[in-house]
Amino acid sequence: TERFNLNIMEQQNTFFEQMLRKFGNEPPQVKKTIIRYAIIILIVLLVPAINLSGLTQSRMQKRIGELGVRKAYGATKNGLLGQVLSENLLLTFMGGFVGLAFSYLSFWLLEGWLLASDLGGVAGVNASMISPWIFLVAFAFCLLLNLLSAGIPAWRVARIPVINALNER
């Protein structure tokens, strides 16, 4: 008797693996796809982070004289760092609130245009589908990014000797 070998190509797949399967005779490359998308997301997030850090550094350079005067009157490095970080945190919270409000407003005003289907009508999506958890995770990431992009330049500026900071005025 002949023996038949049946190759089911690593079946039974999860939905995610099935979506990644290009051909029926090749197994899905889940790890490679996840790494590719992670790199793309990292690059997409890294470019604005570098830009934000540059903007904050530029703003800190303009404020060196002010910070020098504050240091001359007795402000500590930690006090200056705390002031800069609290200003940036306030801006982050205001930006997050405005962004969330703009998202809901966009859904409300532009629902027929934003969510239009090719088949006519509106896709089954509405503003109530904005996940609070996804918003909180994205906001936490923005908060961390803002702390790093503001904290590093503020730390550098706070370390400048008083006399050099006053000469920048």
Side-chain angles (χ1 to χ4, degrees), residues 59-103:
R59 212 172 80 215
M60 286 294 111
Q61 291 297 326
K62 291 178 183 176
R63 293 181 68 185
I64 286 178
E66 171 199 337
L67 297 175
V69 169
R70 292 195 62 222
K71 282 174 85 173
Y73 281 109
T76 63
K77 290 178 186 179
N78 289 337
L80 294 174
L81 191 62
Q83 177 193 9
V84 171
L85 289 178
S86 63
E87 289 173 7
N88 279 315
L89 287 176
L90 179 65
L91 290 174
T92 302
F93 280 110
M94 287 178 10
F97 177 73
V98 168
L100 185 62
F102 184 71
S103 297

Side-chain angles (χ1 to χ4, degrees), residues 118-140:
D118 288 341
L119 302 174
V122 177
V125 186
N126 57 31
S128 66
M129 296 180 79
I130 295 176
S131 171
W133 292 109
I134 291 177
F135 173 76
L136 289 175
V137 168
F139 186 72

